């Protein structure tokens, strides 16, 4: 009889333990499903947030750059209204130092008013003088030592012919000056009012500065901004190196619509790609932001961790 009583008590205790386990497991399962659902929902909503945020930013950066470039073009054309400047660009012989100082001052004003300009200079091929914002140089010294283009040497500029060009955009080139190496987009003007000259102004746009505004306000830690040359299909980022798109699929997706968003694998990693391709611009470039999916997943993991911590506090 005593043994039967002990077995009955043990059965009650076991059932009680099982019931307690089931009772405690139920809210844990509910919280687990809740976290899983919210994780998937958060990742989807976060991707949409990144998409809208970056597309808006890319369009803004593009418009700001285009407005600055148009302002540079207007400033160059206004130089034709300055008689002393016109005397220098039409000179067949070396002008006096006073005239050179006038050109130096005018070029410095243009550079100071446009942050994206790395350098600006006037090359008079008749008198063989390069006028810059900080002095006058012999062309051989300037193009080989002071401001050396990888693609455009002195001979190239000496033979360059583009009659009546208000502003022509060149392909990007790496430039070495006395201190650093940088990636430059040259803008060349050979038309100054109605006057025919053998001079040109070359405005060198620093590509890193074009992307600086975007990089200052990234939405994720490892996002990268690119500018895509739609003619050569080369992409450029602030670090000044060339990254060709991986095949035609990438390029076709970017150029399919004015704005695009798609997933793409680059070097084995999955990225979320957003692009803005304006219809009419001076540069005819596309602006791109890429975000690694690891950034999106890490952000979701942080949210889940916070929710789990809150859930455990509630259970305790």
């Amino acid at each position: 009889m005593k043994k039967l009583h002990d077995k009955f008590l043990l059965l009650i205790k076991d059932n009680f333990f099982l019931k307690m386990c089931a009772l405690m497991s139920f809210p844990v399962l509910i919280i687990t499903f809740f976290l899983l659902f919210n994780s998937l929902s958060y990742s989807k909503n976060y991707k949409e947030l990144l998409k809208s945020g970056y597309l808006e930013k890319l369009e803004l950066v593009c418009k700001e750059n285009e407005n600055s470039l148009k302002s540079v073009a207007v400033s160059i054309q206004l130089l034709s209204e300055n008689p002393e400047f016109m005397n220098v660009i039409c000179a067949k012989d070396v002008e006096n130092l006073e005239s050179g100082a006038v050109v130096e001052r005018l070029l410095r004003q243009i550079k100071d008013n446009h942050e994206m300009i790395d350098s600006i200079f006037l090359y008079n091929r008749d008198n063989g003088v390069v006028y810059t914002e900080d002095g006058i140089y012999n062309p051989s010294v300037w193009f080989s030592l002071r401001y050396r283009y990888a693609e455009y040497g002195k001979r190239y500029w000496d033979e360059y012919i583009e009659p009546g060009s208000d502003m022509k955009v060149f392909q990007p080139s790496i430039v070495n000056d006395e201190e650093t190496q940088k990636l430059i987009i040259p803008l060349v003007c050979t038309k100054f009012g109605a006057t025919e000259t053998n001079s040109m102004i070359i405005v060198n746009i620093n590509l890193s500065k074009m992307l600086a505004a975007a990089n200052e306000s990234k939405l994720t830690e490892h996002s990268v901004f690119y500018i895509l040359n739609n003619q050569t299909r080369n992409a450029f980022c602030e670090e000044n190196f060339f990254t060709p798109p991986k095949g035609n699929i990438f390029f076709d997706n970017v150029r399919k619509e004015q704005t695009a968003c798609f997933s793409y694998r680059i070097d084995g990693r999955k990225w979320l790609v957003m692009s803005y391709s304006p219809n009419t611009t001076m540069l005819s470039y596309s602006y791109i932001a890429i975000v690694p999916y690891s950034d999106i997943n890490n952000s979701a993991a942080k949210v889940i961790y916070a929710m789990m911590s809150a859930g455990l506090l509630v259970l305790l």
Side-chain angles (χ1 to χ4, degrees):
M1 189 71 178
K2 187 176 183 303
K3 292 182 178 180
L4 183 62
H5 181 264
D6 291 341
K7 287 182 179 181
F8 180 72
L9 290 177
L10 184 61
L11 180 62
I12 292 175
K13 289 180 180 179
D14 289 343
N15 286 339
F16 178 77
F17 179 75
L18 291 173
K19 288 180 180 178
M20 288 298 297
C21 287
L23 187 63
M24 293 181 65
S25 299
F26 182 71
V28 172
L29 288 174
I30 294 297
I31 291 176
T32 300
F33 283 115
F34 176 75
L35 292 175
L36 180 61
F37 174 79
N38 278 275
S39 173
L40 296 174
S41 177
Y42 176 82
S43 295
K44 181 180 179 181
N45 292 335
Y46 188 49
K47 282 172 62 176
E48 289 299 316
L49 180 65
L50 289 174
K51 175 183 175 181
S52 60
Y54 273 131
L55 288 178
E56 181 179 343
K57 185 179 296 295
L58 292 172
E59 183 177 359
L60 179 63
V61 171
C62 174
K63 289 181 178 179
E64 288 178 348
N65 287 338
E66 287 297 317
N67 289 336
S68 295
L69 292 173
K70 290 176 182 177
S71 177
V72 171
V74 170
S75 299
I76 297 298
Q77 290 308 310
L78 288 176
L79 292 175
S80 62
E81 299 179 7
N82 187 300
E84 291 180 277
F85 173 83
M86 295 304 293
N87 287 337
V88 171
I89 69 169
C90 296
K92 302 297 183 182
D93 301 314
V94 178
E95 291 290 296
N96 57 46
L97 294 178
E98 184 177 345
S99 298
V102 171
V103 174
E104 179 181 334
R105 175 176 54 82
L106 293 172
L107 297 180
R108 189 184 303 114
Q109 287 177 352
I110 294 175
K111 181 182 177 182
D112 291 344
N113 291 334
H114 300 89
E115 189 176 354
M116 65 169 57
I117 294 180
D118 182 72
S119 72
I120 177 172
F121 59 89
L122 164 69
Y123 181 24
N124 185 327
R125 291 178 289 187
D126 283 335
N127 67 7
V129 176
V130 172
Y131 302 84
T132 77
E133 74 270 14
D134 61 358
I136 298 175
Y137 295 90
N138 178 284
S140 298
V141 174
W142 177 257
F143 289 114
S144 61
L145 298 176
R146 296 301 301 268
Y147 209 79
R148 180 163 51 88
Y149 299 91
E151 282 79 15
Y152 314 113
K154 177 180 179 297
R155 182 177 179 180
Y156 178 88
W157 298 116
D158 287 341
E159 298 176 352
Y160 175 73
I161 299 176
E162 185 69 30
S165 173
D166 289 332
M167 189 69 71
K168 180 176 180 179
V169 180
F170 276 53
Q171 298 299 329
S173 173
I174 292 176
V175 166
N176 292 278
D177 60 18
E178 294 180 316
E179 300 176 352
T180 58
Q181 183 180 88
K182 60 201 79 174
L183 190 59
I184 295 297
I185 300 177
L187 309 179
V188 181
C189 176
T190 57
K191 180 181 179 181
F192 306 96
T195 305
E196 294 289 335
T197 75
N198 199 26
S199 297
M200 65 177 70
I201 284 183
I202 303 175
V203 183
N204 298 288
I205 303 300
N206 190 317
L207 198 144
S208 294
K209 292 181 179 179
M210 292 181 66
L211 290 170
N215 280 303
E216 287 174 359
S217 52
K218 293 181 179 180
L219 299 180
T220 75
E221 182 180 359
H222 301 103
S223 299
V224 183
F225 289 92
Y226 287 91
I227 294 181
L228 176 68
N229 186 324
N230 292 314
Q231 295 180 351
T232 64
R233 300 192 178 189
N234 287 327
F236 314 94
C237 69
E238 193 177 8
E239 283 73 21
N240 291 346
F241 60 80
F242 297 74
T243 306
K246 310 297 182 179
N248 291 332
I249 296 176
F250 184 95
F251 181 81
D252 292 341
N253 284 337
V254 167
R255 294 292 294 164
K256 186 183 300 181
E257 302 287 345
Q258 187 176 49
T259 59
C261 181
F262 57 95
S263 297
Y264 199 79
R265 285 197 173 275
I266 302 175
D267 297 331
R269 297 179 67 188
K270 189 177 181 181
W271 296 76
L272 180 65
V273 182
M274 292 139 291
S275 65
Y276 176 74
S277 303
N279 295 324
T280 56
T281 62
M282 289 183 64
L283 290 179
S284 296
Y285 282 19
S286 293
Y287 292 74
I288 300 172
I290 63 174
V291 180
Y293 268 83
S294 57
D295 278 10
I296 300 174
N297 296 334
N298 290 340
S299 180
K302 290 178 182 178
V303 172
I304 293 173
Y305 178 78
M307 294 174 68
M308 287 180 63
S309 300
L312 288 173
L313 288 174
V314 171
L315 289 175
L316 295 175

